[in-house]
Amino acid sequence: MFQKAPNMPPRSAAAFVLLLLVGCDIPGISPDPRVVQRDADAKAVGGACRHAMRGLEDCYTLNPKAPKASVFNGWKEMDSYMRENKIDGSPSLLGKAVKPEKPERPDPSIETEMNNSHGNRS
């Protein structure tokens, strides 16, 4: 009445399941693209810091949200690249900005259009 199902050896079953899963895009197996992008950005920041002749500590301070390991990897790769190709770094233009002097406040007793605009119009 009932036919007995053919027995599949365990190796064949494992190979069959593996073939089925090869074409599947299972969530959680590949890394999140946002994490990959954040690491790539941090690596670029590290490379830019090295090219700008900044130390790692300065780079970490200027980019507190960047993952430190990725920043270090980018800095280290750029350092070896610059040494191999005998490239001098370019100093950073970012520094202490000179604040312009604040103009003196106008004397409130002098009436101007700005002072008079809040008053009553006749």
Side-chain angles (χ1 to χ4, degrees):
M1 230 167 151
F2 294 106
Q3 290 182 348
K4 188 176 180 182
N7 288 337
M8 188 179 266
R11 287 186 184 176
S12 298
F16 180 71
V17 170
L18 185 62
L19 284 174
L20 285 175
L21 293 177
V22 167
C24 295
D25 187 20
I26 301 172
I29 290 180
S30 62
D32 186 10
R34 293 174 290 185
V35 172
V36 173
Q37 183 65 42
R38 186 179 61 210
D39 286 343
D41 289 345
K43 197 171 178 182
V45 164
C49 283
R50 172 57 185 100
H51 190 264
M53 299 187 326
R54 283 198 191 109
L56 273 173
E57 294 79 17
D58 295 338
C59 197
Y60 293 151
T61 302
L62 292 171
N63 303 286
K65 292 184 180 181
K68 290 184 178 184
S70 298
V71 170
F72 175 73
N73 286 335
W75 194 94
K76 185 173 69 171
E77 284 182 14
M78 180 59 87
D79 184 58
S80 66
Y81 176 80
M82 289 174 71
R83 288 177 191 266
E84 288 173 5
N85 296 306
K86 297 177 182 155
I87 298 173
D88 294 329
S90 59
S92 173
L93 298 177
L94 179 66
K96 294 182 179 180
V98 178
K99 294 182 181 178
E101 294 183 23
K102 292 183 180 179
E104 293 182 21
R105 289 188 153 187
D107 187 8
S109 63
I110 300 173
E111 191 172 314
T112 62
E113 289 182 26
M114 290 177 57
N115 291 345
N116 198 16
S117 66
H118 296 291
N120 294 334
R121 292 187 179 183
S122 305

Short mmCIF file of all heavy atoms in Angstrom, two decimals, residues 40-87:
data_model
loop_
_atom_site.label_atom_id
_atom_site.label_comp_id
_atom_site.label_asym_id
_atom_site.label_seq_id
_atom_site.Cartn_x
_atom_site.Cartn_y
_atom_site.Cartn_z
N ALA A 40 34.18 52.43 6.77
CA ALA A 40 34.91 52.99 5.64
C ALA A 40 35.13 54.49 5.82
O ALA A 40 36.21 55.01 5.50
CB ALA A 40 34.16 52.71 4.34
N ASP A 41 34.12 55.18 6.33
CA ASP A 41 34.27 56.61 6.59
C ASP A 41 35.33 56.88 7.65
O ASP A 41 36.14 57.80 7.52
CB ASP A 41 32.94 57.22 7.02
CG ASP A 41 31.93 57.31 5.90
OD1 ASP A 41 32.34 57.16 4.72
OD2 ASP A 41 30.74 57.51 6.19
N ALA A 42 35.33 56.08 8.70
CA ALA A 42 36.31 56.25 9.77
C ALA A 42 37.72 55.97 9.27
O ALA A 42 38.68 56.65 9.64
CB ALA A 42 35.98 55.34 10.94
N LYS A 43 37.84 54.99 8.38
CA LYS A 43 39.15 54.69 7.80
C LYS A 43 39.63 55.85 6.94
O LYS A 43 40.81 56.21 6.96
CB LYS A 43 39.03 53.41 6.96
CG LYS A 43 40.31 52.75 6.63
CD LYS A 43 40.04 51.40 6.00
CE LYS A 43 41.31 50.72 5.61
NZ LYS A 43 41.08 49.45 4.95
N ALA A 44 38.72 56.47 6.20
CA ALA A 44 39.08 57.63 5.39
C ALA A 44 39.47 58.81 6.27
O ALA A 44 40.39 59.57 5.94
CB ALA A 44 37.90 58.01 4.48
N VAL A 45 38.80 58.97 7.40
CA VAL A 45 39.13 60.04 8.34
C VAL A 45 40.55 59.84 8.87
O VAL A 45 41.35 60.77 8.96
CB VAL A 45 38.11 60.08 9.50
CG1 VAL A 45 38.63 60.90 10.66
CG2 VAL A 45 36.79 60.65 9.02
N GLY A 46 40.89 58.59 9.21
CA GLY A 46 42.23 58.29 9.69
C GLY A 46 43.29 58.59 8.65
O GLY A 46 44.34 59.17 8.96
N GLY A 47 43.02 58.23 7.41
CA GLY A 47 43.96 58.52 6.33
C GLY A 47 44.12 60.02 6.11
O GLY A 47 45.23 60.52 5.89
N ALA A 48 43.03 60.73 6.19
CA ALA A 48 43.09 62.19 6.01
C ALA A 48 43.85 62.84 7.16
O ALA A 48 44.60 63.80 6.95
CB ALA A 48 41.68 62.76 5.91
N CYS A 49 43.67 62.33 8.36
CA CYS A 49 44.40 62.88 9.51
C CYS A 49 45.89 62.67 9.34
O CYS A 49 46.69 63.56 9.63
CB CYS A 49 43.93 62.23 10.80
SG CYS A 49 42.35 62.85 11.40
N ARG A 50 46.29 61.50 8.86
CA ARG A 50 47.72 61.24 8.67
C ARG A 50 48.28 62.14 7.58
O ARG A 50 49.37 62.68 7.70
CB ARG A 50 47.94 59.77 8.31
CG ARG A 50 49.37 59.43 7.91
CD ARG A 50 50.35 59.79 9.01
NE ARG A 50 51.71 59.59 8.61
CZ ARG A 50 52.53 60.57 8.19
NH1 ARG A 50 52.11 61.81 8.12
NH2 ARG A 50 53.77 60.28 7.86
N HIS A 51 47.53 62.32 6.50
CA HIS A 51 48.00 63.19 5.42
C HIS A 51 48.10 64.63 5.88
O HIS A 51 48.96 65.38 5.42
CB HIS A 51 47.07 63.08 4.21
CG HIS A 51 47.61 63.74 2.99
ND1 HIS A 51 47.27 65.02 2.64
CD2 HIS A 51 48.50 63.29 2.07
CE1 HIS A 51 47.91 65.34 1.54
NE2 HIS A 51 48.67 64.32 1.17
N ALA A 52 47.26 65.02 6.82
CA ALA A 52 47.28 66.39 7.34
C ALA A 52 48.28 66.51 8.49
O ALA A 52 48.31 67.53 9.17
CB ALA A 52 45.89 66.79 7.82
N MET A 53 49.09 65.47 8.71
CA MET A 53 50.13 65.45 9.73
C MET A 53 49.57 65.64 11.14
O MET A 53 50.17 66.29 11.98
CB MET A 53 51.22 66.49 9.43
CG MET A 53 51.91 66.21 8.11
SD MET A 53 53.34 67.20 7.67
CE MET A 53 53.04 68.80 8.32
N ARG A 54 48.41 65.06 11.38
CA ARG A 54 47.83 65.09 12.72
C ARG A 54 48.17 63.80 13.43
O ARG A 54 48.25 62.74 12.82
CB ARG A 54 46.31 65.20 12.65
CG ARG A 54 45.81 66.55 12.33
CD ARG A 54 44.35 66.66 12.69
NE ARG A 54 43.83 67.89 12.15
CZ ARG A 54 43.00 67.97 11.14
NH1 ARG A 54 42.54 66.88 10.58
NH2 ARG A 54 42.59 69.13 10.70
N GLY A 55 48.28 63.87 14.72
CA GLY A 55 48.50 62.67 15.52
C GLY A 55 47.18 61.93 15.72
O GLY A 55 46.09 62.48 15.50
N LEU A 56 47.29 60.69 16.12
CA LEU A 56 46.08 59.89 16.33
C LEU A 56 45.18 60.49 17.40
O LEU A 56 43.96 60.50 17.26
CB LEU A 56 46.45 58.47 16.73
CG LEU A 56 46.69 57.51 15.57
CD1 LEU A 56 47.23 56.20 16.08
CD2 LEU A 56 45.43 57.30 14.80
N GLU A 57 45.78 60.97 18.47
CA GLU A 57 44.98 61.52 19.56
C GLU A 57 44.17 62.73 19.09
O GLU A 57 43.01 62.89 19.46
CB GLU A 57 45.88 61.92 20.73
CG GLU A 57 46.57 60.75 21.41
CD GLU A 57 47.79 60.25 20.64
OE1 GLU A 57 48.29 60.99 19.76
OE2 GLU A 57 48.22 59.13 20.91
N ASP A 58 44.80 63.57 18.27
CA ASP A 58 44.08 64.72 17.73
C ASP A 58 42.93 64.26 16.83
O ASP A 58 41.84 64.83 16.84
CB ASP A 58 45.02 65.63 16.93
CG ASP A 58 46.07 66.27 17.81
OD1 ASP A 58 45.85 66.37 19.03
OD2 ASP A 58 47.12 66.67 17.27
N CYS A 59 43.20 63.24 16.06
CA CYS A 59 42.18 62.71 15.15
C CYS A 59 41.00 62.14 15.94
O CYS A 59 39.85 62.35 15.58
CB CYS A 59 42.81 61.64 14.27
SG CYS A 59 41.86 61.25 12.82
N TYR A 60 41.31 61.43 17.02
CA TYR A 60 40.24 60.89 17.86
C TYR A 60 39.43 62.02 18.50
O TYR A 60 38.21 61.95 18.61
CB TYR A 60 40.80 60.01 18.97
CG TYR A 60 41.46 58.73 18.51
CD1 TYR A 60 42.48 58.17 19.26
CD2 TYR A 60 41.07 58.07 17.36
CE1 TYR A 60 43.09 56.99 18.88
CE2 TYR A 60 41.67 56.90 16.95
CZ TYR A 60 42.68 56.37 17.72
OH TYR A 60 43.28 55.20 17.33
N THR A 61 40.12 63.08 18.91
CA THR A 61 39.44 64.20 19.56
C THR A 61 38.53 64.94 18.57
O THR A 61 37.41 65.33 18.92
CB THR A 61 40.47 65.18 20.13
OG1 THR A 61 41.30 64.47 21.04
CG2 THR A 61 39.80 66.33 20.85
N LEU A 62 39.01 65.12 17.35
CA LEU A 62 38.23 65.84 16.34
C LEU A 62 37.07 65.01 15.80
O LEU A 62 36.12 65.57 15.25
CB LEU A 62 39.12 66.29 15.19
CG LEU A 62 40.14 67.36 15.54
CD1 LEU A 62 41.12 67.57 14.38
CD2 LEU A 62 39.44 68.67 15.88
N ASN A 63 37.15 63.68 15.91
CA ASN A 63 36.10 62.80 15.38
C ASN A 63 35.68 61.80 16.46
O ASN A 63 35.97 60.61 16.38
CB ASN A 63 36.65 62.03 14.17
CG ASN A 63 37.13 62.97 13.11
OD1 ASN A 63 36.35 63.59 12.42
ND2 ASN A 63 38.45 63.11 12.99
N PRO A 64 34.96 62.27 17.47
CA PRO A 64 34.63 61.39 18.61
C PRO A 64 33.67 60.26 18.26
O PRO A 64 33.67 59.23 18.92
CB PRO A 64 34.01 62.34 19.63
CG PRO A 64 33.50 63.48 18.84
CD PRO A 64 34.42 63.61 17.65
N LYS A 65 32.86 60.40 17.22
CA LYS A 65 31.88 59.37 16.89
C LYS A 65 32.45 58.28 15.98
O LYS A 65 31.83 57.25 15.81
CB LYS A 65 30.66 60.00 16.23
CG LYS A 65 29.86 60.86 17.17
CD LYS A 65 28.62 61.38 16.51
CE LYS A 65 27.84 62.25 17.49
NZ LYS A 65 26.61 62.76 16.88
N ALA A 66 33.62 58.51 15.41
CA ALA A 66 34.21 57.52 14.51
C ALA A 66 34.82 56.38 15.33
O ALA A 66 35.43 56.62 16.36
CB ALA A 66 35.29 58.19 13.66
N PRO A 67 34.63 55.14 14.85
CA PRO A 67 35.23 54.00 15.56
C PRO A 67 36.76 54.11 15.55
O PRO A 67 37.37 54.26 14.51
CB PRO A 67 34.77 52.79 14.76
CG PRO A 67 33.65 53.25 13.91
CD PRO A 67 33.81 54.72 13.73
N LYS A 68 37.35 54.04 16.73
CA LYS A 68 38.79 54.27 16.86
C LYS A 68 39.62 53.23 16.12
O LYS A 68 40.66 53.55 15.55
CB LYS A 68 39.19 54.31 18.33
CG LYS A 68 38.68 55.54 19.03
CD LYS A 68 39.16 55.61 20.44
CE LYS A 68 38.66 56.90 21.08
NZ LYS A 68 39.16 57.07 22.43
N ALA A 69 39.17 51.99 16.10
CA ALA A 69 39.93 50.94 15.41
C ALA A 69 40.02 51.23 13.91
O ALA A 69 41.07 51.08 13.29
CB ALA A 69 39.31 49.59 15.66
N SER A 70 38.91 51.67 13.32
CA SER A 70 38.91 51.97 11.89
C SER A 70 39.73 53.22 11.59
O SER A 70 40.42 53.28 10.57
CB SER A 70 37.48 52.17 11.39
OG SER A 70 36.74 50.98 11.57
N VAL A 71 39.66 54.22 12.47
CA VAL A 71 40.47 55.42 12.30
C VAL A 71 41.95 55.05 12.35
O VAL A 71 42.75 55.49 11.52
CB VAL A 71 40.14 56.48 13.38
CG1 VAL A 71 41.13 57.63 13.35
CG2 VAL A 71 38.72 57.00 13.19
N PHE A 72 42.31 54.20 13.30
CA PHE A 72 43.71 53.77 13.41
C PHE A 72 44.16 53.02 12.17
O PHE A 72 45.26 53.24 11.65
CB PHE A 72 43.90 52.91 14.65
CG PHE A 72 45.29 52.34 14.75
CD1 PHE A 72 46.36 53.16 15.08
CD2 PHE A 72 45.52 51.00 14.48
CE1 PHE A 72 47.64 52.63 15.15
CE2 PHE A 72 46.79 50.48 14.56
CZ PHE A 72 47.86 51.29 14.89
N ASN A 73 43.31 52.11 11.66
CA ASN A 73 43.67 51.36 10.45
C ASN A 73 43.89 52.28 9.27
O ASN A 73 44.84 52.10 8.50
CB ASN A 73 42.61 50.32 10.12
CG ASN A 73 42.64 49.14 11.05
OD1 ASN A 73 43.68 48.84 11.64
ND2 ASN A 73 41.52 48.47 11.20
N GLY A 74 43.02 53.27 9.09
CA GLY A 74 43.19 54.23 8.00
C GLY A 74 44.45 55.06 8.17
O GLY A 74 45.18 55.32 7.21
N TRP A 75 44.72 55.47 9.41
CA TRP A 75 45.92 56.26 9.69
C TRP A 75 47.17 55.45 9.40
O TRP A 75 48.11 55.91 8.77
CB TRP A 75 45.90 56.71 11.15
CG TRP A 75 46.88 57.78 11.49
CD1 TRP A 75 46.63 59.12 11.51
CD2 TRP A 75 48.25 57.61 11.87
NE1 TRP A 75 47.78 59.79 11.88
CE2 TRP A 75 48.78 58.89 12.11
CE3 TRP A 75 49.07 56.52 12.04
CZ2 TRP A 75 50.09 59.10 12.48
CZ3 TRP A 75 50.39 56.71 12.41
CH2 TRP A 75 50.87 58.00 12.64
N LYS A 76 47.17 54.18 9.83
CA LYS A 76 48.33 53.31 9.66
C LYS A 76 48.57 53.00 8.17
O LYS A 76 49.71 53.03 7.72
CB LYS A 76 48.10 52.02 10.44
CG LYS A 76 49.28 51.07 10.43
CD LYS A 76 49.04 49.89 11.35
CE LYS A 76 47.97 49.01 10.80
NZ LYS A 76 47.82 47.75 11.52
N GLU A 77 47.49 52.73 7.42
CA GLU A 77 47.65 52.45 5.99
C GLU A 77 48.19 53.67 5.25
O GLU A 77 49.05 53.55 4.38
CB GLU A 77 46.31 52.03 5.39
CG GLU A 77 45.92 50.61 5.72
CD GLU A 77 44.62 50.21 5.07
OE1 GLU A 77 44.13 50.91 4.17
OE2 GLU A 77 44.08 49.17 5.49
N MET A 78 47.68 54.85 5.59
CA MET A 78 48.16 56.06 4.94
C MET A 78 49.61 56.33 5.32
O MET A 78 50.40 56.77 4.48
CB MET A 78 47.29 57.26 5.30
CG MET A 78 47.72 58.56 4.65
SD MET A 78 47.74 58.52 2.85
CE MET A 78 46.07 58.96 2.50
N ASP A 79 49.97 56.04 6.55
CA ASP A 79 51.35 56.24 6.98
C ASP A 79 52.31 55.36 6.18
O ASP A 79 53.33 55.84 5.68
CB ASP A 79 51.48 55.94 8.48
CG ASP A 79 52.87 56.22 8.99
OD1 ASP A 79 53.33 57.38 8.85
OD2 ASP A 79 53.52 55.30 9.52
N SER A 80 51.96 54.09 6.03
CA SER A 80 52.84 53.19 5.26
C SER A 80 52.87 53.60 3.78
O SER A 80 53.93 53.56 3.15
CB SER A 80 52.40 51.74 5.42
OG SER A 80 51.14 51.54 4.85
N TYR A 81 51.75 54.02 3.24
CA TYR A 81 51.70 54.46 1.84
C TYR A 81 52.58 55.70 1.64
O TYR A 81 53.34 55.78 0.66
CB TYR A 81 50.25 54.77 1.45
CG TYR A 81 50.11 55.33 0.06
CD1 TYR A 81 50.14 54.49 -1.05
CD2 TYR A 81 49.96 56.70 -0.15
CE1 TYR A 81 50.02 55.00 -2.33
CE2 TYR A 81 49.83 57.22 -1.42
CZ TYR A 81 49.85 56.36 -2.51
OH TYR A 81 49.74 56.87 -3.78
N MET A 82 52.49 56.65 2.57
CA MET A 82 53.27 57.87 2.44
C MET A 82 54.77 57.59 2.60
O MET A 82 55.60 58.19 1.93
CB MET A 82 52.80 58.91 3.46
CG MET A 82 51.44 59.48 3.14
SD MET A 82 50.78 60.55 4.40
CE MET A 82 51.86 61.96 4.22
N ARG A 83 55.13 56.66 3.47
CA ARG A 83 56.54 56.30 3.65
C ARG A 83 57.09 55.58 2.42
O ARG A 83 58.20 55.84 1.99
CB ARG A 83 56.72 55.44 4.89
CG ARG A 83 56.56 56.22 6.17
CD ARG A 83 56.67 55.30 7.38
NE ARG A 83 56.28 55.97 8.58
CZ ARG A 83 57.12 56.59 9.40
NH1 ARG A 83 58.40 56.64 9.12
NH2 ARG A 83 56.67 57.17 10.49
N GLU A 84 56.30 54.65 1.87
CA GLU A 84 56.75 53.91 0.68
C GLU A 84 56.96 54.83 -0.51
O GLU A 84 57.90 54.65 -1.28
CB GLU A 84 55.73 52.83 0.31
CG GLU A 84 55.68 51.66 1.24
CD GLU A 84 54.54 50.72 0.94
OE1 GLU A 84 53.83 50.92 -0.07
OE2 GLU A 84 54.34 49.77 1.73
N ASN A 85 56.08 55.80 -0.68
CA ASN A 85 56.14 56.68 -1.85
C ASN A 85 56.82 58.01 -1.56
O ASN A 85 56.79 58.91 -2.40
CB ASN A 85 54.73 56.90 -2.39
CG ASN A 85 54.13 55.61 -2.90
OD1 ASN A 85 54.72 54.93 -3.72
ND2 ASN A 85 52.97 55.27 -2.39
N LYS A 86 57.40 58.14 -0.37
CA LYS A 86 58.12 59.34 0.05
C LYS A 86 57.28 60.60 -0.17
O LYS A 86 57.70 61.57 -0.81
CB LYS A 86 59.45 59.44 -0.69
CG LYS A 86 60.36 58.28 -0.35
CD LYS A 86 61.65 58.32 -1.11
CE LYS A 86 62.45 57.09 -0.72
NZ LYS A 86 63.38 56.69 -1.71
N ILE A 87 56.07 60.56 0.35
CA ILE A 87 55.14 61.69 0.24
C ILE A 87 55.17 62.47 1.55
O ILE A 87 55.06 61.89 2.63
CB ILE A 87 53.71 61.19 -0.04
CG1 ILE A 87 53.66 60.45 -1.36
CG2 ILE A 87 52.72 62.34 -0.02
CD1 ILE A 87 52.34 59.78 -1.64
#
